[in-house]
C-alpha cells in the first residue's frame, strides 16, 4: 500500500462516507472508491461493507485501522518535527526597551516569541534616554522598542505597536495644577528639558518643541537631563515642565506632580527598531511579528 492509499483508507474508516472522504482529501469520489477496491483486491479481503445507505468497517477493516493509525500518526509527527527543525530559530536575541510601557510590550512579545521558538532565548535590556539608538549601533541590542521619531539611515523603523496621548507634567503648585487640560499654545514662556547631546535635534524638537504654533518661544532648561527620574525631580522642584505621554501618570504617579492632557499635540508612537543590515535576520522578523501580535490594540 502506498502512503496515499493508507491515508484514503484511514479517512474513509473515520468518515464512513465516500463523499466526505473525497472532500477532506481533495480527491474525486471515484478515485476514493477505486483505491479502496484496489486495496481490497491486493489484500484479498473485504475492508468495508457498502450499501446504498451505509458504509461500515468489517472486522478485518477495524483491525487494519487499529494497526495502521499509530504508524500514520508517527509519520506525520516525524515530518512535522523535520519541518519545524528546518524553520526553527536558535541562539539569543537581545531586545532593548525605553520606558516602562515599552518594557511591558517587550515582555509580552518575549512570551509569545518563546512559545513559538523555544530554542531561541531573549535577553531584555533597558535603554535610557541618553542612549537613543546607540545600543543598536554597538550591538548591545538587536531590536529596540522606543518612542518615535527616529530618522537614521542605518536604523529600520518597524511597526508601531502602541500610541499614547501626550501630557504635560508640572509641579503640584504650578499654574496648570487647577486646569483640566492645556493646549500647546499654553506652553509659551514655560521651560522644557534640554536633552543630552546624543539625542538628535529633530527628536528633541518633537518631544520638547521650541515654539508654540503661533511662534511664541518655549524655553529650554539650562542643564541636560538623561533620564525620566532626573526630569521629574526638576519638575517637582518647579524648575521646568516635562512633556510625555499617559504612561507617566500611570507609572510615575507622585503626589507632588500633576499630569495634564495636551489636547492638540500629536500622540506619542512606540515602534520596533533594528539595524537595516539585519533586515533578513529571521530572529528579528519573528520577534517583531510576535510583539505585534501580542500588543494590545489601543489607540490614542
Amino acid at each position: 500500500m502506498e502512503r496515499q492509499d493508507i491515508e484514503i483508507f484511514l479517512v474513509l474508516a473515520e468518515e464512513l462516507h465516500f463523499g466526505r472522504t473525497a472532500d477532506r482529501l481533495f480527491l474525486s469520489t471515484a478515485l476514493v472508491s477505486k483505491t479502496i477496491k484496489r486495496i481490497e483486491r491486493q489484500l484479498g479481503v473485504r475492508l468495508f461493507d457498502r450499501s446504498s445507505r451505509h458504509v461500515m468497517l468489517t472486522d478485518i477493516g477495524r483491525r487494519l485501522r487499529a494497526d495502521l493509525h499509530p504508524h500514520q500518526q508517527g509519520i506525520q509527527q516525524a515530518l512535522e518535527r523535520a519541518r519545524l527543525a528546518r524553520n526553527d530559530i536558535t541562539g539569543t536575541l537581545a531586545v532593548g526597551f525605553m520606558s516602562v510601557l515599552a518594557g511591558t510590550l517587550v515582555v509580552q512579545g518575549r512570551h509569545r516569541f518563546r512559545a513559538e521558538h523555544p530554542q531561541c532565548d531573549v535577553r531584555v535590556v533597558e535603554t535610557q534616554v541618553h542612549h537613543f539608538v546607540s545600543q543598536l549601533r554597538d550591538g548591545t541590542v538587536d531590536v529596540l522598542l522606543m518612542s518615535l521619531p527616529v530618522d537614521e539611515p542605518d536604523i529600520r523603523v518597524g511597526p508601531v505597536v502602541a500610541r499614547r496621548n501626550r501630557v504635560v507634567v508640572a509641579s503640584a503648585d504650578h499654574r496648570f495644577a487647577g486646569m483640566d487640560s492645556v493646549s500647546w499654545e499654553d506652553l509659551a514662556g514655560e521651560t522644557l528639558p534640554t536633552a543630552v547631546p546624543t539625542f538628535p535635534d529633530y527628536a528633541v524638537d518633537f518631544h520638547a518643541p521650541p515654539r508654540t504654533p503661533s511662534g511664541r518661544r518655549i524655553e529650554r532648561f539650562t542643564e541636560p537631563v538623561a533620564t525620566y527620574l532626573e526630569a521629574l525631580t526638576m519638575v517637582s522642584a518647579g524648575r521646568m515642565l516635562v512633556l510625555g505621554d499617559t504612561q507617566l501618570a500611570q507609572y510615575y504617579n507622585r503626589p507632588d506632580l500633576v499630569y495634564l492632557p495636551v489636547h492638540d499635540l500629536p500622540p506619542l508612537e512606540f515602534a520596533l527598531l533594528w539595524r537595516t543590515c539585519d533586515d533578513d535576520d529571521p530572529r528579528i522578523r519573528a520577534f517583531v511579528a510576535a510583539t505585534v501580535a501580542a500588543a494590545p490594540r489601543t489607540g490614542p
Side-chain angles (χ1 to χ4, degrees):
M1 292 174 66
E2 300 292 335
R3 182 184 170 193
Q4 185 184 44
D5 297 345
I6 295 172
E7 187 174 24
I8 290 173
F9 166 75
L10 289 174
V11 173
L12 181 59
E14 180 183 340
E15 294 287 351
L16 297 177
H17 190 283
F18 281 87
R20 290 196 297 269
T21 298
D23 290 342
R24 274 184 58 177
L25 298 175
F26 301 100
L27 301 173
S28 68
T29 303
L31 179 58
V32 173
S33 178
K34 181 179 178 181
T35 301
I36 295 300
K37 289 179 181 178
R38 177 165 49 79
I39 294 171
E40 290 178 327
R41 188 169 57 251
Q42 290 173 346
L43 297 178
V45 296
R46 193 170 184 82
L47 301 175
F48 295 91
D49 286 327
R50 318 184 224 347
S51 70
S52 60
R53 301 180 63 182
H54 298 290
V55 177
M56 297 182 62
L57 280 164
T58 65
D59 290 341
I60 295 176
R62 280 191 289 271
R63 285 200 300 270
L64 181 61
R65 179 191 180 191
D67 289 341
L68 288 178
H69 190 259
H71 294 290
Q72 188 210 34
Q73 282 189 318
I75 292 171
Q76 290 176 334
Q77 291 169 357
L79 293 173
E80 180 65 11
R81 284 193 295 269
R83 184 187 68 81
L84 291 174
R86 179 194 67 188
N87 296 325
D88 203 11
I89 294 172
T90 61
T92 299
L93 187 71
V95 181
F97 68 93
M98 185 189 297
S99 83
V100 181
L101 172 63
T104 300
L105 295 170
V106 161
V107 169
Q108 292 173 352
R110 180 186 185 276
H111 288 330
R112 188 179 185 100
F113 176 85
R114 290 280 289 147
E116 296 171 352
H117 305 284
Q119 301 303 314
C120 186
D121 196 13
V122 177
R123 184 168 54 88
V124 178
V125 180
E126 182 182 11
T127 295
Q128 294 289 350
V129 174
H130 64 272
H131 289 129
F132 195 57
V133 296
S134 64
Q135 290 186 315
L136 275 176
R137 288 184 170 130
D138 66 19
T140 301
V141 298
D142 303 298
V143 184
L144 176 59
L145 180 54
M146 62 176 284
S147 61
L148 301 178
V150 174
D151 185 11
E152 305 292 318
D154 58 332
I155 303 298
R156 180 77 64 212
V157 177
V160 171
V161 295
R163 290 182 179 87
R164 292 293 184 272
N165 284 333
R166 303 284 285 281
V167 301
V168 63
V169 188
S171 65
D173 57 0
H174 190 274
R175 66 184 180 93
F176 288 168
M179 301 170 64
D180 294 328
S181 67
V182 298
S183 70
W184 187 349
E185 200 64 40
D186 290 331
L187 300 177
E190 298 291 344
T191 301
L192 296 177
T194 297
V196 292
T198 52
F199 218 70
D201 290 342
Y202 66 83
V204 175
D205 289 347
F206 178 84
H207 292 283
R211 296 189 180 277
T212 69
S214 68
R216 300 163 67 194
R217 183 177 176 81
I218 302 173
E219 303 296 333
R220 292 278 173 80
F221 194 61
T222 54
E223 300 172 7
V225 292
T227 68
Y228 280 119
L229 288 179
E230 283 184 17
L232 294 180
T233 299
M234 293 295 101
V235 173
S236 175
R239 306 281 304 277
M240 65 180 182
L241 306 178
V242 164
L243 283 174
D245 64 283
T246 52
Q247 68 169 306
L248 291 177
Q250 181 178 359
Y251 297 119
Y252 298 97
N253 192 4
R254 294 169 45 165
D256 55 341
L257 302 176
V258 293
Y259 305 85
L260 301 166
V262 185
H263 52 77
D264 54 352
L265 278 177
L268 208 57
E269 295 183 323
F270 294 81
L272 291 153
L273 314 172
W274 60 92
R275 294 176 293 270
T276 55
C277 61
D278 292 333
D279 279 345
D280 294 328
D281 190 325
R283 301 171 307 155
I284 292 175
R285 294 201 307 270
F287 185 84
V288 169
T291 304
V292 169
R297 296 295 182 262
T298 54

Short mmCIF file of all heavy atoms in Angstrom, two decimals, residues 151-208:
data_model
loop_
_atom_site.label_atom_id
_atom_site.label_comp_id
_atom_site.label_asym_id
_atom_site.label_seq_id
_atom_site.Cartn_x
_atom_site.Cartn_y
_atom_site.Cartn_z
N ASP A 151 14.83 58.90 12.78
CA ASP A 151 15.09 59.06 11.35
C ASP A 151 16.59 58.97 11.13
O ASP A 151 17.29 59.97 11.02
CB ASP A 151 14.53 60.41 10.86
CG ASP A 151 14.66 60.59 9.36
OD1 ASP A 151 14.99 59.60 8.67
OD2 ASP A 151 14.45 61.72 8.88
N GLU A 152 17.08 57.72 11.08
CA GLU A 152 18.51 57.46 10.93
C GLU A 152 18.71 56.51 9.75
O GLU A 152 17.98 55.52 9.63
CB GLU A 152 19.07 56.83 12.21
CG GLU A 152 18.81 57.63 13.47
CD GLU A 152 19.58 58.94 13.50
OE1 GLU A 152 20.76 58.92 13.10
OE2 GLU A 152 18.99 59.96 13.91
N PRO A 153 19.67 56.78 8.87
CA PRO A 153 19.81 55.96 7.66
C PRO A 153 20.16 54.50 7.92
O PRO A 153 19.84 53.64 7.10
CB PRO A 153 20.94 56.67 6.88
CG PRO A 153 21.69 57.45 7.91
CD PRO A 153 20.67 57.87 8.93
N ASP A 154 20.79 54.20 9.04
CA ASP A 154 21.19 52.83 9.33
C ASP A 154 20.22 52.09 10.24
O ASP A 154 20.48 50.95 10.63
CB ASP A 154 22.59 52.80 9.95
CG ASP A 154 22.68 53.63 11.23
OD1 ASP A 154 21.90 54.59 11.38
OD2 ASP A 154 23.51 53.30 12.10
N ILE A 155 19.11 52.74 10.58
CA ILE A 155 18.14 52.14 11.51
C ILE A 155 16.80 51.98 10.79
O ILE A 155 16.28 52.92 10.21
CB ILE A 155 17.95 53.01 12.77
CG1 ILE A 155 19.30 53.22 13.48
CG2 ILE A 155 16.93 52.37 13.70
CD1 ILE A 155 19.96 51.95 13.97
N ARG A 156 16.27 50.77 10.87
CA ARG A 156 14.97 50.50 10.28
C ARG A 156 13.87 50.76 11.31
O ARG A 156 13.93 50.26 12.43
CB ARG A 156 14.88 49.05 9.82
CG ARG A 156 13.54 48.67 9.18
CD ARG A 156 13.44 49.18 7.77
NE ARG A 156 14.43 48.54 6.92
CZ ARG A 156 15.00 49.14 5.88
NH1 ARG A 156 14.68 50.39 5.57
NH2 ARG A 156 15.90 48.51 5.14
N VAL A 157 12.88 51.57 10.94
CA VAL A 157 11.72 51.82 11.80
C VAL A 157 10.64 50.82 11.41
O VAL A 157 10.11 50.86 10.30
CB VAL A 157 11.20 53.26 11.65
CG1 VAL A 157 9.96 53.47 12.51
CG2 VAL A 157 12.30 54.25 12.06
N GLY A 158 10.33 49.92 12.33
CA GLY A 158 9.35 48.88 12.08
C GLY A 158 7.95 49.31 12.48
O GLY A 158 7.65 50.50 12.57
N PRO A 159 7.09 48.35 12.73
CA PRO A 159 5.68 48.66 13.02
C PRO A 159 5.50 49.39 14.34
O PRO A 159 6.22 49.15 15.31
CB PRO A 159 5.01 47.29 13.05
CG PRO A 159 6.11 46.32 13.29
CD PRO A 159 7.34 46.91 12.67
N VAL A 160 4.53 50.28 14.36
CA VAL A 160 4.11 50.95 15.60
C VAL A 160 3.25 49.97 16.40
O VAL A 160 2.28 49.41 15.87
CB VAL A 160 3.32 52.24 15.28
CG1 VAL A 160 2.71 52.82 16.54
CG2 VAL A 160 4.23 53.25 14.61
N VAL A 161 3.60 49.76 17.65
CA VAL A 161 2.87 48.79 18.48
C VAL A 161 2.04 49.46 19.57
O VAL A 161 1.27 48.78 20.26
CB VAL A 161 3.83 47.76 19.10
CG1 VAL A 161 4.46 46.89 18.02
CG2 VAL A 161 4.90 48.43 19.95
N ALA A 162 2.19 50.78 19.75
CA ALA A 162 1.38 51.48 20.76
C ALA A 162 1.35 52.97 20.44
O ALA A 162 2.30 53.51 19.88
CB ALA A 162 1.93 51.26 22.16
N ARG A 163 0.26 53.60 20.82
CA ARG A 163 0.12 55.05 20.73
C ARG A 163 -0.45 55.55 22.06
O ARG A 163 -1.33 54.91 22.63
CB ARG A 163 -0.81 55.47 19.59
CG ARG A 163 -0.26 55.24 18.21
CD ARG A 163 -1.24 55.74 17.14
NE ARG A 163 -0.68 55.54 15.80
CZ ARG A 163 -0.82 54.42 15.12
NH1 ARG A 163 -1.51 53.41 15.64
NH2 ARG A 163 -0.30 54.29 13.91
N ARG A 164 0.05 56.68 22.50
CA ARG A 164 -0.44 57.26 23.74
C ARG A 164 -0.62 58.77 23.56
O ARG A 164 0.19 59.43 22.90
CB ARG A 164 0.54 57.00 24.90
CG ARG A 164 0.64 55.53 25.33
CD ARG A 164 -0.64 55.05 25.95
NE ARG A 164 -0.54 53.69 26.45
CZ ARG A 164 -0.78 52.61 25.74
NH1 ARG A 164 -1.14 52.74 24.46
NH2 ARG A 164 -0.68 51.41 26.26
N ASN A 165 -1.67 59.31 24.16
CA ASN A 165 -1.88 60.75 24.13
C ASN A 165 -0.79 61.47 24.90
O ASN A 165 -0.20 60.93 25.85
CB ASN A 165 -3.24 61.10 24.72
CG ASN A 165 -4.37 60.78 23.76
OD1 ASN A 165 -4.19 60.77 22.55
ND2 ASN A 165 -5.54 60.52 24.30
N ARG A 166 -0.54 62.70 24.54
CA ARG A 166 0.52 63.49 25.18
C ARG A 166 -0.01 64.17 26.43
O ARG A 166 -1.18 64.59 26.51
CB ARG A 166 1.05 64.55 24.21
CG ARG A 166 1.58 63.99 22.91
CD ARG A 166 2.94 63.34 23.04
NE ARG A 166 3.99 64.32 23.16
CZ ARG A 166 4.51 65.00 22.14
NH1 ARG A 166 4.04 64.82 20.92
NH2 ARG A 166 5.48 65.86 22.32
N VAL A 167 0.85 64.30 27.44
CA VAL A 167 0.53 65.01 28.67
C VAL A 167 1.70 65.93 29.01
O VAL A 167 2.83 65.73 28.54
CB VAL A 167 0.27 64.05 29.86
CG1 VAL A 167 -0.88 63.11 29.56
CG2 VAL A 167 1.53 63.27 30.22
N VAL A 168 1.43 66.92 29.82
CA VAL A 168 2.48 67.75 30.39
C VAL A 168 2.50 67.49 31.89
O VAL A 168 1.44 67.36 32.52
CB VAL A 168 2.26 69.25 30.09
CG1 VAL A 168 0.98 69.77 30.71
CG2 VAL A 168 3.47 70.07 30.56
N VAL A 169 3.68 67.37 32.44
CA VAL A 169 3.85 67.13 33.88
C VAL A 169 4.34 68.43 34.51
O VAL A 169 5.33 69.03 34.05
CB VAL A 169 4.86 66.00 34.14
CG1 VAL A 169 4.87 65.64 35.63
CG2 VAL A 169 4.54 64.77 33.30
N ALA A 170 3.65 68.84 35.54
CA ALA A 170 4.00 70.08 36.25
C ALA A 170 4.00 69.80 37.75
O ALA A 170 3.46 68.80 38.22
CB ALA A 170 3.00 71.18 35.91
N SER A 171 4.62 70.70 38.50
CA SER A 171 4.60 70.57 39.97
C SER A 171 3.18 70.84 40.46
O SER A 171 2.39 71.51 39.80
CB SER A 171 5.59 71.53 40.60
OG SER A 171 5.20 72.87 40.35
N ALA A 172 2.87 70.33 41.64
CA ALA A 172 1.52 70.44 42.19
C ALA A 172 1.11 71.88 42.47
O ALA A 172 -0.09 72.16 42.59
CB ALA A 172 1.41 69.60 43.45
N ASP A 173 2.08 72.80 42.57
CA ASP A 173 1.73 74.21 42.81
C ASP A 173 1.91 75.08 41.56
O ASP A 173 1.91 76.30 41.63
CB ASP A 173 2.55 74.77 43.97
CG ASP A 173 4.05 74.64 43.74
OD1 ASP A 173 4.45 74.11 42.68
OD2 ASP A 173 4.82 75.05 44.63
N HIS A 174 2.07 74.46 40.41
CA HIS A 174 2.20 75.22 39.16
C HIS A 174 0.86 75.81 38.77
O HIS A 174 -0.21 75.34 39.17
CB HIS A 174 2.74 74.29 38.06
CG HIS A 174 3.14 74.99 36.81
ND1 HIS A 174 2.24 75.29 35.79
CD2 HIS A 174 4.35 75.45 36.39
CE1 HIS A 174 2.88 75.90 34.81
NE2 HIS A 174 4.17 76.01 35.15
N ARG A 175 0.89 76.84 37.91
CA ARG A 175 -0.35 77.49 37.47
C ARG A 175 -1.25 76.55 36.68
O ARG A 175 -2.46 76.78 36.58
CB ARG A 175 -0.01 78.72 36.62
CG ARG A 175 0.67 78.42 35.29
CD ARG A 175 1.05 79.70 34.55
NE ARG A 175 1.68 79.44 33.27
CZ ARG A 175 1.04 79.37 32.11
NH1 ARG A 175 -0.28 79.53 32.07
NH2 ARG A 175 1.70 79.15 30.98
N PHE A 176 -0.69 75.46 36.12
CA PHE A 176 -1.51 74.49 35.40
C PHE A 176 -2.30 73.56 36.34
O PHE A 176 -3.21 72.87 35.89
CB PHE A 176 -0.63 73.60 34.51
CG PHE A 176 -0.07 74.30 33.30
CD1 PHE A 176 0.92 73.68 32.54
CD2 PHE A 176 -0.53 75.53 32.88
CE1 PHE A 176 1.44 74.28 31.42
CE2 PHE A 176 -0.01 76.16 31.76
CZ PHE A 176 0.98 75.53 31.01
N ALA A 177 -1.92 73.53 37.61
CA ALA A 177 -2.43 72.50 38.51
C ALA A 177 -3.95 72.47 38.61
O ALA A 177 -4.55 71.41 38.79
CB ALA A 177 -1.81 72.66 39.89
N GLY A 178 -4.61 73.58 38.49
CA GLY A 178 -6.06 73.61 38.61
C GLY A 178 -6.80 73.41 37.31
O GLY A 178 -8.04 73.50 37.28
N MET A 179 -6.09 73.14 36.23
CA MET A 179 -6.71 73.04 34.90
C MET A 179 -7.00 71.58 34.58
O MET A 179 -6.35 70.66 35.08
CB MET A 179 -5.79 73.66 33.85
CG MET A 179 -5.47 75.12 34.11
SD MET A 179 -4.15 75.81 33.05
CE MET A 179 -4.92 75.69 31.43
N ASP A 180 -8.00 71.37 33.72
CA ASP A 180 -8.33 70.02 33.27
C ASP A 180 -7.43 69.56 32.14
O ASP A 180 -7.13 68.37 31.99
CB ASP A 180 -9.79 69.94 32.82
CG ASP A 180 -10.76 70.17 33.96
OD1 ASP A 180 -10.42 69.79 35.10
OD2 ASP A 180 -11.84 70.73 33.71
N SER A 181 -7.02 70.48 31.27
CA SER A 181 -6.12 70.18 30.16
C SER A 181 -5.47 71.49 29.73
O SER A 181 -5.88 72.57 30.14
CB SER A 181 -6.87 69.53 28.99
OG SER A 181 -7.76 70.46 28.41
N VAL A 182 -4.44 71.36 28.91
CA VAL A 182 -3.76 72.55 28.40
C VAL A 182 -3.60 72.38 26.89
O VAL A 182 -3.76 71.29 26.33
CB VAL A 182 -2.39 72.76 29.06
CG1 VAL A 182 -2.53 72.98 30.55
CG2 VAL A 182 -1.47 71.57 28.78
N SER A 183 -3.28 73.47 26.23
CA SER A 183 -3.01 73.43 24.79
C SER A 183 -1.52 73.64 24.57
O SER A 183 -0.78 74.07 25.46
CB SER A 183 -3.80 74.52 24.08
OG SER A 183 -3.29 75.81 24.41
N TRP A 184 -1.10 73.35 23.38
CA TRP A 184 0.29 73.58 23.00
C TRP A 184 0.62 75.06 23.20
O TRP A 184 1.69 75.41 23.71
CB TRP A 184 0.45 73.15 21.55
CG TRP A 184 1.84 73.17 21.00
CD1 TRP A 184 2.96 73.71 21.57
CD2 TRP A 184 2.26 72.62 19.74
NE1 TRP A 184 4.04 73.54 20.75
CE2 TRP A 184 3.65 72.86 19.62
CE3 TRP A 184 1.60 71.96 18.71
CZ2 TRP A 184 4.37 72.46 18.50
CZ3 TRP A 184 2.32 71.55 17.60
CH2 TRP A 184 3.69 71.80 17.50
N GLU A 185 -0.30 75.94 22.86
CA GLU A 185 -0.07 77.38 22.99
C GLU A 185 0.14 77.78 24.45
O GLU A 185 0.87 78.74 24.74
CB GLU A 185 -1.26 78.14 22.40
CG GLU A 185 -0.95 79.58 22.02
CD GLU A 185 0.08 79.71 20.92
OE1 GLU A 185 0.04 78.91 19.95
OE2 GLU A 185 0.95 80.61 21.01
N ASP A 186 -0.47 77.06 25.40
CA ASP A 186 -0.31 77.37 26.83
C ASP A 186 1.12 77.20 27.31
O ASP A 186 1.49 77.70 28.39
CB ASP A 186 -1.22 76.47 27.67
CG ASP A 186 -2.69 76.81 27.50
OD1 ASP A 186 -3.00 77.99 27.23
OD2 ASP A 186 -3.53 75.90 27.66
N LEU A 187 1.95 76.49 26.54
CA LEU A 187 3.32 76.22 26.96
C LEU A 187 4.26 77.41 26.70
O LEU A 187 5.43 77.37 27.09
CB LEU A 187 3.87 74.99 26.23
CG LEU A 187 3.10 73.67 26.46
CD1 LEU A 187 3.72 72.56 25.63
CD2 LEU A 187 3.11 73.30 27.93
N ALA A 188 3.76 78.46 26.07
CA ALA A 188 4.58 79.64 25.79
C ALA A 188 5.16 80.20 27.09
O ALA A 188 4.45 80.37 28.08
CB ALA A 188 3.75 80.71 25.09
N GLY A 189 6.47 80.46 27.09
CA GLY A 189 7.14 81.01 28.25
C GLY A 189 7.55 79.99 29.28
O GLY A 189 8.30 80.31 30.22
N GLU A 190 7.06 78.74 29.16
CA GLU A 190 7.45 77.69 30.10
C GLU A 190 8.81 77.10 29.69
O GLU A 190 9.34 77.40 28.62
CB GLU A 190 6.39 76.59 30.14
CG GLU A 190 5.03 77.05 30.62
CD GLU A 190 5.03 77.42 32.11
OE1 GLU A 190 5.98 77.02 32.82
OE2 GLU A 190 4.09 78.10 32.56
N THR A 191 9.36 76.28 30.56
CA THR A 191 10.67 75.67 30.32
C THR A 191 10.52 74.16 30.21
O THR A 191 9.89 73.53 31.07
CB THR A 191 11.65 76.00 31.47
OG1 THR A 191 11.79 77.42 31.57
CG2 THR A 191 13.01 75.36 31.23
N LEU A 192 11.09 73.61 29.15
CA LEU A 192 11.09 72.16 28.92
C LEU A 192 12.53 71.64 29.00
O LEU A 192 13.49 72.42 28.94
CB LEU A 192 10.48 71.84 27.55
CG LEU A 192 9.00 72.21 27.38
CD1 LEU A 192 8.55 71.90 25.95
CD2 LEU A 192 8.13 71.46 28.38
N PRO A 193 12.72 70.33 29.13
CA PRO A 193 14.07 69.79 29.31
C PRO A 193 14.98 70.04 28.11
O PRO A 193 14.54 70.16 26.97
CB PRO A 193 13.84 68.30 29.51
CG PRO A 193 12.41 68.16 29.91
CD PRO A 193 11.69 69.27 29.22
N THR A 194 16.27 70.06 28.41
CA THR A 194 17.31 70.01 27.39
C THR A 194 17.86 68.60 27.37
O THR A 194 18.26 68.07 28.42
CB THR A 194 18.44 71.00 27.70
OG1 THR A 194 17.92 72.33 27.66
CG2 THR A 194 19.57 70.87 26.68
N ALA A 195 17.86 67.96 26.21
CA ALA A 195 18.33 66.59 26.11
C ALA A 195 19.85 66.55 26.03
O ALA A 195 20.52 67.54 25.70
CB ALA A 195 17.72 65.91 24.89
N VAL A 196 20.39 65.38 26.31
CA VAL A 196 21.83 65.17 26.20
C VAL A 196 22.22 65.24 24.72
O VAL A 196 21.39 65.04 23.83
CB VAL A 196 22.23 63.81 26.80
CG1 VAL A 196 22.04 63.83 28.31
CG2 VAL A 196 21.44 62.69 26.17
N PRO A 197 23.50 65.51 24.41
CA PRO A 197 23.92 65.70 23.02
C PRO A 197 23.67 64.50 22.11
O PRO A 197 23.60 64.66 20.89
CB PRO A 197 25.42 66.00 23.15
CG PRO A 197 25.58 66.55 24.52
CD PRO A 197 24.59 65.83 25.36
N THR A 198 23.60 63.29 22.68
CA THR A 198 23.38 62.10 21.85
C THR A 198 21.97 62.05 21.27
O THR A 198 21.71 61.27 20.36
CB THR A 198 23.64 60.83 22.67
OG1 THR A 198 22.87 60.89 23.88
CG2 THR A 198 25.11 60.69 23.01
N PHE A 199 21.06 62.85 21.79
CA PHE A 199 19.69 62.89 21.29
C PHE A 199 19.64 63.86 20.12
O PHE A 199 19.97 65.05 20.27
CB PHE A 199 18.77 63.37 22.41
CG PHE A 199 17.44 62.67 22.46
CD1 PHE A 199 17.34 61.34 22.84
CD2 PHE A 199 16.27 63.35 22.12
CE1 PHE A 199 16.11 60.70 22.89
CE2 PHE A 199 15.04 62.73 22.16
CZ PHE A 199 14.96 61.40 22.55
N PRO A 200 19.24 63.45 18.91
CA PRO A 200 19.29 64.34 17.74
C PRO A 200 18.27 65.47 17.85
O PRO A 200 17.24 65.36 18.51
CB PRO A 200 18.95 63.40 16.58
CG PRO A 200 18.20 62.28 17.20
CD PRO A 200 18.76 62.10 18.57
N ASP A 201 18.57 66.55 17.16
CA ASP A 201 17.74 67.76 17.26
C ASP A 201 16.28 67.50 16.85
O ASP A 201 15.36 68.04 17.46
CB ASP A 201 18.33 68.88 16.40
CG ASP A 201 19.63 69.42 16.97
OD1 ASP A 201 19.89 69.18 18.17
OD2 ASP A 201 20.40 70.07 16.22
N TYR A 202 16.08 66.71 15.79
CA TYR A 202 14.70 66.51 15.34
C TYR A 202 13.86 65.79 16.40
O TYR A 202 12.67 66.06 16.54
CB TYR A 202 14.66 65.73 14.02
CG TYR A 202 15.15 64.29 14.10
CD1 TYR A 202 14.30 63.26 14.52
CD2 TYR A 202 16.46 63.95 13.75
CE1 TYR A 202 14.74 61.95 14.59
CE2 TYR A 202 16.91 62.66 13.82
CZ TYR A 202 16.05 61.65 14.25
OH TYR A 202 16.50 60.36 14.32
N ALA A 203 14.50 64.89 17.17
CA ALA A 203 13.78 64.19 18.24
C ALA A 203 13.55 65.12 19.42
O ALA A 203 12.48 65.12 20.05
CB ALA A 203 14.54 62.95 18.67
N VAL A 204 14.55 65.95 19.73
CA VAL A 204 14.40 66.92 20.83
C VAL A 204 13.24 67.86 20.52
O VAL A 204 12.38 68.13 21.38
CB VAL A 204 15.70 67.71 21.03
CG1 VAL A 204 15.49 68.81 22.08
CG2 VAL A 204 16.84 66.79 21.47
N ASP A 205 13.17 68.37 19.30
CA ASP A 205 12.13 69.33 18.95
C ASP A 205 10.74 68.70 18.98
O ASP A 205 9.74 69.39 19.21
CB ASP A 205 12.40 69.92 17.56
CG ASP A 205 13.60 70.85 17.56
OD1 ASP A 205 14.06 71.23 18.66
OD2 ASP A 205 14.08 71.20 16.46
N PHE A 206 10.65 67.41 18.73
CA PHE A 206 9.35 66.75 18.81
C PHE A 206 8.92 66.58 20.25
O PHE A 206 7.77 66.86 20.62
CB PHE A 206 9.39 65.38 18.12
CG PHE A 206 8.08 64.63 18.21
CD1 PHE A 206 7.07 64.87 17.28
CD2 PHE A 206 7.85 63.70 19.21
CE1 PHE A 206 5.85 64.20 17.36
CE2 PHE A 206 6.64 63.02 19.30
CZ PHE A 206 5.64 63.26 18.37
N HIS A 207 9.83 66.12 21.10
CA HIS A 207 9.49 65.85 22.50
C HIS A 207 9.44 67.12 23.34
O HIS A 207 8.77 67.16 24.38
CB HIS A 207 10.48 64.86 23.10
CG HIS A 207 10.38 63.48 22.52
ND1 HIS A 207 9.39 62.60 22.87
CD2 HIS A 207 11.15 62.85 21.59
CE1 HIS A 207 9.54 61.46 22.21
NE2 HIS A 207 10.61 61.59 21.42
N ALA A 208 10.17 68.15 22.92
CA ALA A 208 10.16 69.42 23.64
C ALA A 208 10.18 70.55 22.61
O ALA A 208 11.23 71.15 22.35
CB ALA A 208 11.37 69.52 24.57
#
